[in-house]
Amino acid sequence: MEELVGSGLTEAEPEQPAAEAARELGIEYTEQVQQVQQAGQDAWAKTCARQGAPAA
């Protein structure tokens, strides 16, 4: 995600792949889904930081 943001994409563009994947799974990509996605990314980053690994 950070890589996409850093590549000059607009704020909405990094979410596009996630929205498309959700549609393929039959999930409506709502604000609540975005919040859960962000919470998962945050949890993964914290886990990686505790282990000294990159959060990629």
Side-chain angles (χ1 to χ4, degrees), residues 3-55:
E3 187 176 294
L4 291 173
V5 173
S7 69
L9 296 174
T10 67
E11 188 174 313
E13 287 174 317
E15 293 178 1
Q16 193 63 29
E20 290 173 9
R23 269 195 301 278
E24 289 175 9
L25 294 169
I27 300 169
E28 185 178 352
Y29 195 69
T30 63
E31 185 176 335
Q32 183 178 14
V33 172
Q34 291 172 327
Q35 291 170 351
V36 169
Q37 177 189 15
Q38 185 62 52
Q41 290 172 343
D42 293 347
W44 181 251
K46 287 180 181 182
T47 299
C48 290
R50 287 182 179 163
Q51 294 176 353

